Amino acid sequence: EFRPETDERVQWVSASIQTENGTVSSKWQKTENGTEYEFFVPEKSRAIALINGKEYRLQAGLNKIFS
């Protein structure tokens, strides 16, 4: 489960961790139109991202969300 928290003092954040199923990563970046989120979920895995109170179901691979 991803629960990214943006902060007006920070323009972007990127993090990753190696798991038994592969690398999991999360990144967000502020843009002129809002915030762009990217989540990478390893094969044979699923995840949930909670962004501003909304739940997004993520599939294996790269998932992009604009808010």
Side-chain angles (χ1 to χ4, degrees), residues 9-28:
R9 300 169 294 177
V10 180
Q11 293 299 308
W12 63 272
V13 170
S14 180
S16 65
I17 188 169
Q18 186 65 33
T19 71
E20 63 185 38
N21 292 334
T23 302
V24 174
S25 66
S26 173
K27 171 182 167 184
W28 63 259

Side-chain angles (χ1 to χ4, degrees), residues 2-4 7 11 13 15-16 19 22-25 28 30-31 35-37 47 52 60-61:
F2 296 97
R3 292 179 181 238
D7 184 312
Q11 293 299 308
V13 170
S16 65
T19 71
T23 302
V24 174
S25 66
W28 63 259
K30 292 182 183 177
T31 68
T35 305
E36 177 182 332
Y37 299 87
N52 300 325

Side-chain angles (χ1 to χ4, degrees), residues 2-67:
F2 296 97
R3 292 179 181 238
E5 296 284 335
T6 60
D7 184 312
E8 64 186 41
R9 300 169 294 177
V10 180
Q11 293 299 308
W12 63 272
V13 170
S14 180
S16 65
I17 188 169
Q18 186 65 33
T19 71
E20 63 185 38
N21 292 334
T23 302
V24 174
S25 66
S26 173
K27 171 182 167 184
W28 63 259
Q29 177 176 314
K30 292 182 183 177
T31 68
E32 292 179 5
N33 300 321
T35 305
E36 177 182 332
Y37 299 87
E38 291 185 7
F39 305 100
F40 187 83
V41 179
E43 290 296 320
K44 301 180 184 177
S45 300
R46 291 179 287 166
I48 294 172
L50 297 173
I51 301 171
N52 300 325
K54 187 172 180 183
E55 183 176 291
Y56 297 87
R57 296 190 181 277
L58 308 177
Q59 302 298 319
L62 182 62
N63 298 264
K64 293 186 177 186
I65 300 168
F66 298 94
S67 177

